Structures are given as structure tokens and as C-alpha cells.
Amino acid sequence: MEGASHLWVLLLVVLGAAESPGRAACGQPRIPNRIVGGRDAREGEWPWQASIQRRGAHVCGAALIALQWVLTAAHCFPRRVLPSEYRVRLGALRLAPTSPRALSAPVLRVLLAPDYSEDAARGDLALLQLRRPVPVSARVQPVCLPEPGARLPIGFPCWVTGWGSLHPGVPLPAWRPLQGVRVPLLDAQDCDRLYHLGTGVPQAERIVLPGTLCAGYQEGHKDACQGDSGGPLTCVQSGHWVLVGVVSWGKGCALPNRPGVYTNVAAYSPWIRAHLSL
């Protein structure tokens, strides 16, 4: 895969199926990934991809991180959330209700990150516990989690996936497959500087806060969009796909100087693991 380098030395968690009856191998889809730009996904290519649905309608993307746990964005839920109103759809290539072999799992509880702010600028992360573990298959598999505090090199190639809009205000048709696009990781300071351009906000006042990371292109063109919130930003490490970020916010979609901002999963790994008991 292009963009590989000797800097890929990050130690990662590999949840081996033999370690515990409640764990499953992570981040190794049986269908090889081959996304190099924005395009349709294939069956089983992103088996951790999930759709958070409220009363049957797609609300946000998400990622399966354990057999009974899904990670998404906190801003996808109201403060007084009723878990019984939500279901997590797994193993689907399309949002169409007739998608074959898809699972619809009821939600037991929703846990928001302890430092979540109402404007979603900080702590934009939510853990969803499913009522029961889901069965692993070629289309349903957890993604790996990063080590706490892990960092990847600037420019590292990652992929964001989701059923969000292809253009602002234009929803993805239900018949269109899951979409994916390759985006490089950006330097946090450079990302914050870009977001200050044309705003009048003093440079000393941070817009992109700690606990987040950026990915995308200064010129725009490739990005997540409406409906992709909560979805996974994943990167290949040591032969496994790792959940590096969760789609949080951005200004428009794929605009110049406005890259995508993601919640940094490694920054919240201790909180996540405390609930998963990893």
C-alpha cells in the first residue's frame, strides 16, 4: 500500500480470539481493502462499519470495537437519550432496509465521554453497549483499538468510511454502497492554523482542541460529510486496521483549508478500555 514507511513502528493492540471467549480477532477483513480515493465499498471490506439508527432512520456512523460494544460520536445523541429508541445495524453494504445478511442489534446503554462539551469541540465520543454480543462473520468484525496516547506520523494514509452525503445537502441514496476515501493525517498546529484562515479568530485562541486530530487535504476535494458523523477513521498498522479517529466535525464538506476533525481515539483509550475491561 503506497505511503508505507519505516515510521510504522507504533505498538498496537491485537485482540486475539484465543485470548478470551468474549474477544474476537480485530482489524483483519477477509475481503482485502483497496481504496485509494473516494469510491464504493465491497461486501465485507469494512466489517466494523456500523449505522446508528433511530426509529429506523440512519443517524450516524459507528465502528464495532468489541462483540458487544460500538464507538461513535457523542453529538449523535441528545443529553437525555433513550437507548430503546436506537439500534445498531452491522454487516450492511447499503442503508436500504432490504440489505441482505445485515444485523440489527438493540442498544442497552449509551455512555458519553466524561469531558464531552455541548458544542462537540471536546470529548465527542460515545460508547454503545449492545444488548447481547453479535456473531462474527465475514461481514461483521471488530476493528482494533490503539494503545493509549499512541501517535502516528504526519501524512500517514488513513481511510474514512460512511453513508454520508456525497455533496453538502445531497443525501446518499439508499441504493448506493458504503463510501470510503483515503485521507492523510495532518499536523494539529497546521490544522488549527488552517481553521483560523478567514475567520478573524485570534491565533492564540484554539479552534481545534486537544483530544482531536485532523485528516484531509489543504485543497479540499476529499472529506467526510453530513451523515458520516461518528464513523471510523482507520489506518493499517502491522497488518491490522486500527480505529485512529471518529468523525466529529468540520466546516462544510471537502472545502479548502477546512480538513476533517476527528476525536482522537488513543486519547480516550483508557476510558474505553475501562468499560470494555480489556
Side-chain angles (χ1 to χ4, degrees):
M1 193 169 294
E2 63 183 24
S5 76
H6 65 282
L7 294 176
W8 293 18
V9 294
L10 183 64
L11 291 177
L12 303 167
V13 176
V14 178
L15 307 181
E19 293 179 10
S20 166
R23 297 180 181 177
C26 68
Q28 292 185 303
R30 298 178 193 176
I31 302 297
N33 305 86
R34 55 183 177 89
I35 284 183
V36 294
R39 71 156 180 85
D40 295 350
R42 296 176 296 166
E43 289 277 5
E45 194 169 10
W46 309 100
W48 44 83
Q49 178 75 44
S51 166
I52 306 298
Q53 303 195 340
R54 183 173 184 263
R55 298 175 181 173
H58 173 76
V59 174
C60 281
L64 184 71
I65 59 172
L67 300 187
Q68 201 172 352
W69 292 91
V70 168
L71 194 65
T72 186
H75 79 258
C76 297
F77 303 94
R79 275 295 188 178
R80 295 184 178 181
V81 60
L82 295 176
S84 60
E85 293 184 351
Y86 294 86
R87 297 183 76 89
V88 175
R89 198 161 187 231
L90 294 156
L93 182 63
R94 297 171 175 82
L95 289 178
T98 56
S99 184
R101 303 186 186 91
L103 303 176
S104 183
V107 175
L108 178 63
R109 57 175 174 159
V110 177
L111 305 172
L112 305 185
D115 63 338
Y116 172 58
S117 60
E118 293 289 351
D119 60 3
R122 187 187 301 274
D124 192 14
L125 214 59
L127 264 173
L128 275 62
Q129 185 179 17
L130 307 179
R131 286 197 175 274
R132 60 190 64 86
V134 296
V136 171
S137 69
R139 293 173 177 81
V140 178
Q141 183 190 120
V143 66
C144 300
L145 289 172
E147 288 280 14
R151 298 179 63 181
L152 290 173
I154 304 307
F156 198 91
C158 299
W159 284 259
V160 58
T161 51
W163 287 282
S165 302
L166 294 178
H167 306 284
V170 183
L172 184 74
W175 56 266
R176 283 295 298 268
L178 178 71
Q179 301 292 297
V181 65
R182 174 177 155 163
V183 288
L185 298 181
L186 300 177
D187 177 75
Q189 291 184 343
D190 287 345
C191 182
D192 188 62
R193 176 183 57 79
L194 291 175
Y195 265 96
H196 278 83
L197 295 177
T199 65
V201 177
Q203 193 65 43
E205 183 180 333
R206 291 191 64 167
I207 296 175
V208 180
L209 301 181
T212 62
L213 56 83
C214 297
Y217 301 87
Q218 183 172 351
E219 63 272 23
H221 305 307
K222 295 181 180 181
D223 194 8
C225 202
Q226 286 88 12
D228 289 323
S229 288
L233 176 72
T234 55
C235 316
V236 178
Q237 286 285 289
S238 302
H240 293 259
W241 287 87
V242 179
L243 182 62
V244 171
V246 168
V247 178
S248 180
W249 63 274
K251 178 67 174 178
C253 302
L255 295 178
N257 302 320
R258 298 295 185 264
V261 182
Y262 301 78
T263 304
N264 185 351
V265 176
Y268 292 86
S269 194
W271 173 72
I272 297 169
R273 291 166 184 277
H275 289 288
L276 271 61
S277 299
L278 293 178

